[in-house]
Amino acid sequence: MIKTVIILSGGVDSTTLLYELIRTKYMPYEVVSLSFNYGSKHNSYELAQAKETCKRLVIEHRIIDVKSVFDNFNSALLNHLDSDDIPEGYYADENMKKTVVPFRNGILLSIAVGYAESVGAKQIFYGAHAGDHAIYPDCRPKFIKHISKAALFGTYNQVKIAAPYSRLSKIEIIKRGKGLGVEYANTWTCYNPTKDNQPCGKCGSCVERTEAFFKNQLKDPTYNDVGWQKAVENYFQVI
Ligand SMILES: [Zn+2]
């Protein structure tokens, strides 16, 4: 068994990747899931679902609290008193850049590399996907290639970082997830949960997720019927 760390946000991409690692018979991995509390507005929603998924799959789950690291960072995604509101619209729109947390994935990956080295894991899986490329520089293949090299040269164990979904869209990821039996009710994506703890259906993140379920002819199980109808209507308004 190869000890492996997966960064599990609790969203669609990393959850599908986790299912793929443990359900694919030819992959002899002993998986540890690593999640981060970094102080985003939707962090507690994501972490709760990540926890449920690990329980369901009987996988070790570690949550690392790095909230204070991001206290002085500027992003609409962070739960600061003076942070901007989460923008609504299409996920690749220019105004979505407000939700970028500067170098977040570079920082979290670096911590994951140190953790992997500490527990004798030689491989890290990271669920970045093609839809992230438009606004998140630290999700692009070029960045992943270079940080992978840094991890390899910066550890005794020669820790490798793999991002197998980096050229897949969320539509393609959910298509894979359908075949793997991923329980998507135990995932969270929305950046701006409503007061009654439902996904807003309007932030860029919700729009991308809605598109992916809709194009796979699936209903997103995190919505009730009325909420899903509204999310689909909103999707057709913003594309
Ligand atoms: Zn939303």
Side-chain angles (χ1 to χ4, degrees):
M1 296 284 267
I2 303 164
K3 196 157 188 174
T4 300
V5 173
I6 179 169
I7 299 180
L8 183 69
S9 67
V12 160
D13 315 316
S14 60
T15 302
T16 307
L17 185 54
L18 172 60
Y19 270 76
E20 188 147 359
L21 290 182
I22 63 161
R23 292 259 163 100
T24 310
K25 290 188 189 98
Y26 59 84
M27 286 189 178
Y29 292 128
E30 179 195 341
V31 181
V32 181
S33 294
L34 197 60
S35 301
F36 294 95
N37 177 13
Y38 63 95
S40 74
K41 288 171 179 165
H42 67 321
N43 229 169
S44 60
Y45 294 81
E46 287 186 312
L47 292 177
Q49 297 308 336
K51 204 170 162 184
E52 280 305 310
T53 294
C54 291
K55 213 157 91 182
R56 183 182 286 275
L57 298 175
V58 200
I59 294 288
E60 187 180 343
H61 187 214
R62 302 267 158 186
I63 299 175
I64 299 184
D65 195 322
V66 290
K67 197 174 151 290
S68 62
V69 172
F70 295 92
D71 276 352
N72 297 296
F73 281 39
N74 182 25
S75 169
L77 192 61
L78 294 171
N79 197 17
H80 297 160
L81 284 174
D82 58 350
S83 59
D84 288 345
D85 289 341
I86 299 287
E88 294 180 354
Y90 194 60
Y91 59 89
D93 286 351
E94 186 68 18
N95 66 343
M96 295 301 159
K97 282 189 180 162
K98 285 168 92 172
T99 64
V100 173
V101 179
F103 205 60
R104 178 195 63 186
N105 295 345
I107 294 164
L108 301 185
L109 276 168
S110 298
I111 295 169
V113 171
Y115 176 79
E117 176 93 319
S118 302
V119 299
K122 290 188 169 187
Q123 180 91 52
I124 293 171
F125 281 93
Y126 164 46
H129 77 295
D132 294 327
H133 300 173
I135 57 167
Y136 300 102
D138 55 356
C139 289
R140 294 175 188 151
K142 201 172 183 179
F143 170 77
I144 294 164
K145 188 180 150 194
H146 284 91
I147 198 161
S148 301
K149 229 180 213 176
L152 199 68
F153 288 118
T155 53
Y156 286 111
N157 255 343
Q158 297 184 310
V159 174
K160 293 179 187 63
I161 298 173
Y165 291 171
S166 66
R167 294 183 193 278
L168 297 185
S169 70
K170 206 176 275 291
I171 303 166
E172 291 165 312
I173 290 170
I174 288 185
K175 193 174 170 196
R176 289 171 95 98
K178 262 199 317 190
L180 293 162
V182 175
E183 183 51 83
Y184 284 116
N186 289 137
T187 59
W188 186 270
T189 299
C190 178
Y191 286 166
N192 196 21
T194 64
K195 285 195 180 85
D196 54 349
N197 301 321
Q198 297 296 305
C200 75
K202 290 185 173 179
C203 67
S205 208
C206 275
V207 168
E208 186 187 24
R209 179 176 170 128
T210 300
E211 175 185 67
F213 276 89
F214 183 78
K215 292 203 169 170
N216 276 290
Q217 295 170 322
L218 293 172
K219 175 192 169 287
D220 181 346
T222 55
Y223 291 96
N224 58 28
D225 287 347
V226 177
W228 177 237
Q229 180 76 25
K230 282 185 183 166
V232 171
E233 280 167 15
N234 179 69
Y235 164 66
F236 280 105
Q237 275 169 15
V238 299
I239 54 168

